[in-house]
C-alpha cells in the first residue's frame, strides 16, 4: 500500500491519536529531565526521547488484553500502553500512588491490568518471559498476543537467542520488537555485531524478520500490526527490528560524548514528531492551532500529575516488608 | 598521593597490566572513547595505554565470564567487569559451575586465575541494580571473595587478586568509589586514602581492626564499615567502647582475628547490607558459636537488611540499609541488658 492510501485508511482520528501519544512521551521526558536537574526527583532514569514512534506504533496495533514487556527504558512504553501520567509520575517520586507503590521506580514501571508487565531492567531479561506469557495465551486458548520490547544490545544476550528459538518451535503468539537505537549504553552496535540488520537473526530460528523505520510511526504501526495479527491467528512469532535513535544520553548521567556529531544530527533530521507533524499539516489533517491545543493539554496534564505525585503520601518505612510473598508475611 | 577507590583500582589495574602482559580487562563499556570507563569510571582512559588488553564486549555476560575462564585456563590473567553485581546472575553458570569448579574437577591440574569485579550497594535504582549478593558466593566453594572499604585496601587487594592463582571475586561499593563529575553518586562517602608509591599487596583472608575497643566487637565490610565506625563514635561519647573490624576478605574469613576480639569484648555484632536471611552474619556467628561460645556474655546480634529485595522509594531504601543510628541502638540495647 502507498503511504497516501494508508493515511486515508487510518483516518484522522487515529493519526491525531499517534501524534498525541508521541507528544505525551516527549513532553513527559523533557519535563522529568528538568525535575531531575533541579534535584527534585530521586533515582536514575533512561529516557526515550527520539524513539517515540516505536512504542506508539507498536502499542497502537495492540488489543486491550494483549501484554507488553519492557526494559530499563520503559517510560515511553508505559505511556504508549496507556498508563496514566499520575501513576507513572508518582512511581518516579517513590509514592504509594505509583504504579508499583514506590517499590519499582523508573526502571520497573508497569501495570499488568493495563497490559504492561513490570519492566525488567536486566538486559535481555524480558524475552523468555514473553515466550512464557504467549505460551500461556496459547495453552489457555486465549486470542491474545505478548510483545517484548528490547534493544540492539539485548540481541547479543543468550536469552534473545534461546527465546526466539523457543517461541519458534512452540509457535507462540509472540512479537519481538528490537528497538535498534544504534547504541547499547556507550557501545556502538557496529563494534559488537558483524551484521547490518538484527532482523536477519530471525532466519536462524526459522521465523520472519522484518525491518521498519523507527522514526516513522506509520511504518512502525503497519509492520507491527502485521506481526501482531499474524501471531494472533496462530502464525507464530516475528522479529521486528525498528531502526531508531535516542536523542538523549543512555542514562541521566550520560552526556553521550561517544556519539559522533554528524551521526546525531543526521538522526535528528528524522525526528519522529516533527516529521509527523509536518505530514499532518501538509495533508490537511490538522491545523497548527489544533496541534498546539493538544500540546497545551498535555502540558496541563503533566503539571497536574506532578502535583499529584508530590502531594501523594510517601510509603511508611515498614512498607518495605510488604508485597514480597502472596501467601505469607516476610519471615524474621 | 591521595586517591579515591575508583582511582586506586584504576591504578592497580594499570600497574598490574604494565607489570604482566598476561593481564587483560574485559567487560561492557569499559574502554569506549568518549564513554564512561565502566559504569563507575574505574577503567577510564586505560584503553589509551593498553588498547589490545582493554576488551570491550557485546552485552553477553555468559560469554564474557566464559571467555575469561578459558583465557585463564590457558595462562592469561583476566579481570572481568560486570557493571553491576546484579548481572553476575546472568553469568552464574560460568561463575559457579565452571570458574569455581574446574580446578577441583581436574583433580587440581588446572588453574583458573580470574578476577571478577562486581559493584554492589543499594543506591536509588530499584531491586535489580542494588543487590549485595556477597552471601550467594559465600556458599560457593572455589572462589575467594574480597571487599575493600578504603582506597588503600582497594589497591593492595586488587593487586593481590590479580596475582592469585585462584578465582577472586571483588565486591566494590557504589557509594565508596568516589566517582567524580557527572557520574558522582548521591550519598557517596569519602573512602580515599594516601597510596604510597610502592608495589604493595594486601593478603587475601586478613581482616583489620579499624578501631580498637573493649565492650563490643562490630564486624562489617564495604559501606557498613563506615556506618559502623560512625556508630562506634557515637557510642564512644556515651562511654561504650566498640572494636570495629573490617573483614576485607569474606572468603576465607579471618575468623582468628574475629575470635581474638570477641574473647576480649564478649559481645559480637555483625553488620551487613544484604538480607539477614542466609547472610554473612549467619556464617560468622555460627563459627563463633561453634568455637568460642563460652566467651560470649550476650547473644550475637545480626544487623542486616530485611529479608526482602531492595525497594526503590528513598523512604523505604533508608529503612532497608542498616544506618549508623540503628547500629548504635542495637549495641546500646545489648550493653544495657547484659
Ligand atoms: C544483563 C545486563 N547487562 C548489563 C546491563 C547494563 N546496561 C543497562 S542498559 C545497557 C545497554 C542496553 O542496550 P540496548 O539493549 O541496546 O538498549 P538501549 O539502552 O539502547 O535502549 C546496559 C549494558 C544490564 N542492565 N543488564
Ligand atoms: Mg540500544
Amino acid at each position: 500500500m502507498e503511504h497516501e492510501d494508508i493515511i486515508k485508511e487510518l483516518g484522522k482520528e487515529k493519526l491525531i491519536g499517534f501524534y498525541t501519544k508521541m507528544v505525551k512521551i516527549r513532553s513527559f521526558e523533557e519535563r522529568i529531565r528538568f525535575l531531575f536537574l533541579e534535584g527534585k526527583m530521586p533515582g536514575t532514569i533512561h529516557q526515550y526521547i527520539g524513539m517515540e514512534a516505536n512504542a506508539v506504533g507498536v502499542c497502537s496495533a495492540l488489543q486491550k488484553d494483549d501484554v507488553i514487556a519492557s526494559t530499563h527504558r520503559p517510560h515511553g512504553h508505559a505511556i504508549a500502553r496507556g498508563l496514566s501520567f499520575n501513576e507513572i509520575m508518582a512511581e518516579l517520586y517513590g509514592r504509594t500512588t505509583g504504579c508499583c507503590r514506590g517499590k519499582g521506580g523508573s526502571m520497573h514501571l508497569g501495570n499488568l491490568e493495563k497490559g504492561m508487565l513490570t519492566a525488567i531492567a536486566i538486559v535481555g531479561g524480558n524475552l523468555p518471559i514473553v515466550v512464557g506469557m504467549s505460551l500461556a495465551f496459547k495453552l489457555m486458548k486465549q486470542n491474545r498476543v505478548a510483545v517484548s520490547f528490547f534493544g540492539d544490545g539485548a540481541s547479543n544476550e543468550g536469552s534473545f537467542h534461546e527465546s526466539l528459538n523457543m517461541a519458534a518451535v512452540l509457535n507462540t503468539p509472540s512479537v519481538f520488537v528490537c528497538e535498534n537505537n544504534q547504541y547499547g549504553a556507550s557501545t556502538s552496535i557496529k563494534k559488537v555485531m558483524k551484521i547490518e540488520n538484527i532482523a536477519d537473526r530471525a532466519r536462524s530460528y526459522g521465523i520472519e524478520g522484518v525491518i521498519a523505520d523507527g522514526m516513522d510511526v506509520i511504518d512502525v504501526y503497519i509492520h507491527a500490526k502485521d506481526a501482531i495479527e499474524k501471531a494472533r491467528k496462530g502464525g507464530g512469532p516475528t522479529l521486528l527490528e525498528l531502526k531508531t535513535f535516542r536523542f538523549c544520553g543512555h542514562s541521566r548521567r550520560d552526556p553521550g560524548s561517544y556519539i559522533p556529531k554528524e551521526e546525531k544530527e543526521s538522526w535528528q533530521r528524522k525526528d519522529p514528531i516533527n516529521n509527523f507533524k509536518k505530514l499532518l499539516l501538509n495533508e490537511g489533517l490538522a491545523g497548527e492551532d489544533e496541534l498546539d491545543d493538544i500540546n497545551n493539554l498535555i502540558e496541563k496534564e503533566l503539571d497536574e500529575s506532578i502535583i499529584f505525585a508530590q502531594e501523594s503520601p510517601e510509603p511508611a518505612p515498614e512498607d518495605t516488608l510488604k508485597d514480597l510473598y502472596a501467601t505469607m508475611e516476610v519471615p524474621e | 598521593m591521595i586517591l579515591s577507590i575508583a582511582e586506586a583500582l584504576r591504578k592497580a589495574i594499570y600497574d598490574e597490566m604494565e607489570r604482566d602482559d598476561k593481564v587483560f580487562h574485559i567487560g561492557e563499556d569499559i574502554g569506549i572513547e568518549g564513554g564512561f570507563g565502566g559504569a563507575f569510571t574505574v577503567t577510564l582512559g586505560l584503553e589509551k595505554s593498553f588498547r589490545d588488553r582493554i576488551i570491550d564486549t557485546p552485552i553477553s555476560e555468559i560469554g564474557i565470564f566464559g571467555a575469561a575462564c578459558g583465557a585463564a585456563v590457558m595462562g592469561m590473567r583476566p579481570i572481568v567487569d560486570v557493571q553491576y553485581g546484579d548481572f553476575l546472575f546472568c553469568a552464574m553458570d560460568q561463575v559457579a559451575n565452571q570458574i569455581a569448579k574446574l580446578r577441583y574437577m581436574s583433580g587440581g591440574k588446572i588453574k583458573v586465575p580470574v578476577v571478577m569485579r562486581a559493584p554492589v550497594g543499594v543506591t536509588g535504582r530499584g531491586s535489580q541494580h542494588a543487590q549485595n549478593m556477597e552471601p550467594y558466593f559465600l556458599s560457593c566453594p572455589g572462589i575467594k571473595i574480597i571487599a575493600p572499604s578504603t582506597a588503600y585496601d582497594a589497591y593492595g587487594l586488587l593487586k593481590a587478586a590479580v596475582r592469585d592463582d585462584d578465582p577472586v571475586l571483588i565486591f566494590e561499593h557504589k557509594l565508596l568509589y568516589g566517582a567524580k563529575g557527572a557520574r558522582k553518586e548521591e550519598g557517596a562517602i569519602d573512602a580515599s586514602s594516601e597510596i604510597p608509591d610502592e608495589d604493595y599487596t594486601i593478603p587475601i583472608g586478613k581482616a583489620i581492626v579499624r578501631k580498637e575497643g573493649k565492650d563490643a566487637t562490630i564486624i562489617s565490610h564495604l559501606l557498613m564499615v563506615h556506618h559502623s565506625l560512625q556508630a562506634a563514635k557515637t557510642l564512644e561519647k556515651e562511654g561504650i567502647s566498640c572494636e570495629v573490624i573490617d573483614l576485607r576478605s569474606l572468603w576465607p574469613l579471618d575468623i582468628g582475628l574475629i575470635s581474638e576480639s570477641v574473647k576480649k569484648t564478649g559481645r559480637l555484632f555483625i553488620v551487613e547490607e544484604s538480607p539477614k536471611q542466609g547472610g554473612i552474619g549467619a556464617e560468622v556467628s555460627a563459627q563463633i558459636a561453634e568455637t568460642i561460645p563460652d566467651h560470649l556474655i550476650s547473644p550475637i546480634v545480626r544487623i542486616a537488611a530485611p529479608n526482602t529485595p531492595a525497594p526503590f522509594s528513598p523512604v523505604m531504601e533508608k529503612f532497608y540499609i542498616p544506618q549508623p543510628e540503628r547500629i548504635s541502638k542495637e549495641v546500646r540495647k545489648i550493653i544495657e541488658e547484659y
Side-chain angles (χ1 to χ4, degrees):
Chain A
M1 243 197 289
E2 291 301 316
H3 230 74
E4 254 172 48
D5 299 330
I6 294 162
I7 288 169
K8 271 209 198 89
E9 193 185 296
L10 289 173
K12 174 170 169 163
E13 200 182 323
K14 190 133 203 166
L15 294 171
I16 296 282
F18 288 174
Y19 176 81
T20 308
K21 279 265 157 92
M22 288 200 291
V23 174
K24 271 189 137 179
I25 296 172
R26 178 74 55 97
S27 307
F28 178 88
E29 293 288 43
E30 297 286 7
R31 188 68 75 90
I32 61 168
R33 201 158 59 89
F34 280 109
L35 291 171
F36 263 102
L37 289 174
E38 290 172 17
K40 294 200 173 131
M41 222 176 220
T44 190
I45 40 169
H46 302 79
Q47 300 203 279
Y48 202 65
I49 301 169
M51 298 168 66
E52 296 87 351
N54 303 328
V56 173
V58 173
C59 291
S60 302
L62 291 172
Q63 291 184 2
K64 206 160 176 269
D65 61 354
D66 294 336
V67 178
I68 67 165
S70 177
T71 66
H72 57 283
R73 199 181 297 291
H75 305 171
H77 304 140
I79 294 167
R81 192 64 184 121
L83 273 72
S84 69
F85 276 170
N86 278 359
E87 64 188 314
I88 299 173
M89 195 67 85
E91 188 57 35
L92 297 192
Y93 273 94
R95 303 301 164 108
T96 51
T97 50
C99 55
C100 311
R101 299 190 180 126
K103 286 245 167 54
S106 164
M107 287 199 272
H108 304 298
L109 294 180
N111 183 342
L112 199 52
E113 281 171 15
K114 294 185 179 173
M116 178 178 181
L117 179 71
T118 310
I120 288 164
I122 300 298
V123 169
N126 81 37
L127 287 90
I129 301 175
V130 162
V131 176
M133 294 196 298
S134 44
L135 176 63
F137 297 158
K138 188 175 162 181
L139 293 175
M140 297 189 291
K141 300 197 169 35
Q142 294 174 343
N143 211 11
R144 301 162 74 185
V145 174
V147 174
S148 162
F149 286 99
F150 58 96
D152 42 271
S155 76
N156 285 329
E157 288 279 12
S159 62
F160 164 89
H161 298 271
E162 296 186 20
S163 300
L164 261 64
N165 189 51
M166 274 184 72
V169 297
L170 299 175
N171 198 43
T172 52
S174 334
V175 179
F176 299 98
V177 179
C178 179
E179 298 181 75
N180 179 356
N181 63 6
Q182 320 300 322
Y183 287 84
S186 70
T187 304
S188 162
I189 200 68
K190 295 199 176 71
K191 227 182 129 99
V192 287
M193 206 177 275
K194 287 278 194 181
I195 54 172
E196 175 74 22
N197 298 314
I198 293 166
D200 291 347
R201 291 186 164 175
R203 215 183 316 150
S204 325
Y205 306 108
I207 65 172
E208 207 180 342
V210 181
I211 297 172
D213 179 357
M215 306 309 262
D216 176 354
V217 68
I218 295 179
D219 201 50
V220 174
Y221 174 77
I222 292 166
H223 287 96
K225 197 164 164 45
D226 284 349
I228 291 164
E229 289 323 312
K230 177 178 150 191
R232 204 182 304 286
K233 287 194 195 109
T238 303
L239 171 59
L240 173 58
E241 178 184 4
L242 308 176
K243 304 280 191 188
T244 185
F245 204 74
R246 58 170 154 77
F247 297 164
C248 49
H250 167 65
S251 69
R252 148 174 97 94
R253 293 129 58 77
D254 170 23
S257 325
Y258 46 85
I259 301 177
K261 200 162 150 253
E262 311 77 59
E263 186 184 17
K264 192 166 179 180
E265 284 169 0
S266 83
W267 281 97
Q268 269 166 337
R269 282 193 289 279
K270 301 184 203 162
D271 187 315
I273 298 182
N274 285 351
N275 288 344
F276 191 64
K277 181 175 171 181
K278 272 186 216 144
L279 181 131
L280 291 178
L281 295 172
N282 291 345
E283 297 285 327
L285 288 160
E288 285 274 5
D289 292 354
E290 199 179 346
L291 298 184
D292 284 350
D293 286 348
I294 291 174
N295 289 28
N296 292 337
L297 267 177
I298 290 170
E299 289 301 323
K300 199 166 148 267
E301 203 187 322
L302 267 173
D303 292 339
E304 288 163 6
S305 74
I306 292 166
I307 294 170
F308 172 81
Q310 289 175 341
E311 290 181 350
S312 288
E314 297 267 13
E318 295 75 21
D319 288 349
T320 306
L321 304 172
K322 288 185 188 157
D323 304 324
L324 186 57
Y325 299 97
T327 53
M328 64 176 188
E329 299 294 315
V330 170
E332 257 299 310
Chain B
M1 81 197 96
I2 305 240
L3 297 182
S4 66
I5 288 191
E7 290 163 341
L9 291 169
R10 190 182 309 144
K11 180 169 159 50
I13 296 166
Y14 181 97
D15 289 352
E16 287 303 288
M17 287 181 79
E18 196 163 66
R19 184 187 59 80
D20 180 356
D21 60 14
K22 296 273 195 309
V23 178
F24 70 96
H25 203 330
I26 187 167
E28 298 156 14
D29 302 291
I30 61 172
I32 304 283
E33 205 183 316
F36 336 121
F40 300 96
T41 72
V42 169
T43 52
L44 197 66
L46 288 179
E47 78 282 0
K48 294 196 183 87
S49 310
F50 308 103
R51 187 58 281 185
D52 295 348
R53 289 189 282 143
I54 296 287
I55 302 176
D56 293 303
T57 67
I59 309 174
S60 308
E61 285 77 16
I62 297 177
I64 297 166
F65 281 79
C69 176
V73 168
M74 288 297 129
M76 297 294 287
R77 296 253 162 199
I79 307 173
V80 192
D81 173 307
V82 68
Q83 288 206 346
Y84 286 80
D86 309 67
F87 315 150
L88 280 170
F89 291 147
C90 300
M92 206 61 175
D93 172 61
Q94 289 300 325
V95 177
N97 279 328
Q98 323 308 340
I99 291 173
K101 297 187 174 62
L102 266 178
R103 176 174 172 77
Y104 188 74
M105 296 188 302
S106 76
K109 290 184 181 164
I110 290 178
K111 281 193 303 199
V112 195
V114 179
V115 176
M116 299 169 274
R117 295 189 33 245
V120 295
V122 188
T123 53
R125 291 168 166 97
S127 297
Q128 294 181 336
H129 288 70
Q131 293 164 88
N132 288 82
M133 57 235 307
E134 297 90 313
Y136 287 93
F137 297 92
L138 211 60
S139 55
C140 182
I143 298 175
K144 298 182 183 179
I145 309 171
I146 54 180
S149 74
T150 69
Y152 183 87
D153 282 1
Y155 182 81
L157 279 171
L158 184 57
K159 286 182 86 158
V162 171
R163 295 174 194 188
D164 201 288
D165 278 344
D166 284 316
V168 180
L169 179 51
I170 172 168
F171 287 108
E172 305 164 0
H173 203 287
K174 286 166 234 166
L175 294 182
L176 297 181
Y177 276 124
K180 299 200 172 85
R183 302 197 79 78
K184 189 172 181 310
E185 285 286 318
E186 225 160 283
I189 283 185
D190 182 16
S192 55
S193 331
E194 170 72 28
I195 308 288
D197 199 12
E198 65 189 57
D199 178 24
Y200 72 92
T201 58
I202 290 177
I204 295 174
K206 289 275 169 256
I208 187 170
V209 176
R210 292 282 177 214
K211 180 194 164 300
E212 284 187 23
K214 54 182 179 24
D215 300 326
T217 300
I218 307 178
I219 73 157
S220 56
H221 68 287
L222 292 175
L223 181 69
M224 291 303 111
V225 174
H226 298 265
H227 283 196
S228 300
L229 284 168
Q230 277 184 46
K233 210 166 156 188
T234 308
L235 291 165
E236 195 78 24
K237 286 186 199 134
E238 302 167 16
I240 300 171
S241 154
C242 298
E243 182 141 302
V244 178
I245 293 179
D246 178 352
L247 286 172
R248 301 201 291 192
S249 290
L250 304 179
W251 199 262
L253 272 169
D254 191 353
I255 206 70
L257 188 80
I258 301 168
S259 304
E260 283 317 305
S261 179
V262 172
K263 282 182 196 161
K264 182 168 70 171
T265 64
R267 298 184 180 92
L268 177 59
F269 299 82
I270 304 134
V271 186
E272 63 188 304
E273 200 180 340
S274 5
K276 191 173 183 180
Q277 174 180 2
I280 295 161
E283 177 64 32
V284 173
S285 42
Q287 289 203 29
I288 292 297
E290 278 170 351
T291 51
I292 51 165
D294 298 343
H295 286 88
L296 289 167
I297 54 180
S298 64
I300 298 171
V301 177
R302 290 180 286 160
I303 303 163
N307 292 331
T308 70
F312 164 70
S313 112
V315 176
M316 291 192 277
E317 188 177 284
K318 183 150 190 277
F319 174 81
Y320 189 82
I321 304 167
Q323 303 296 336
E325 301 73 39
R326 192 177 139 207
I327 302 169
S328 34
K329 197 172 134 197
E330 299 272 1
V331 174
R332 206 177 286 126
K333 206 171 80 192
I334 287 285
I335 300 260
E336 277 163 12
E337 236 176 281
Y338 297 88

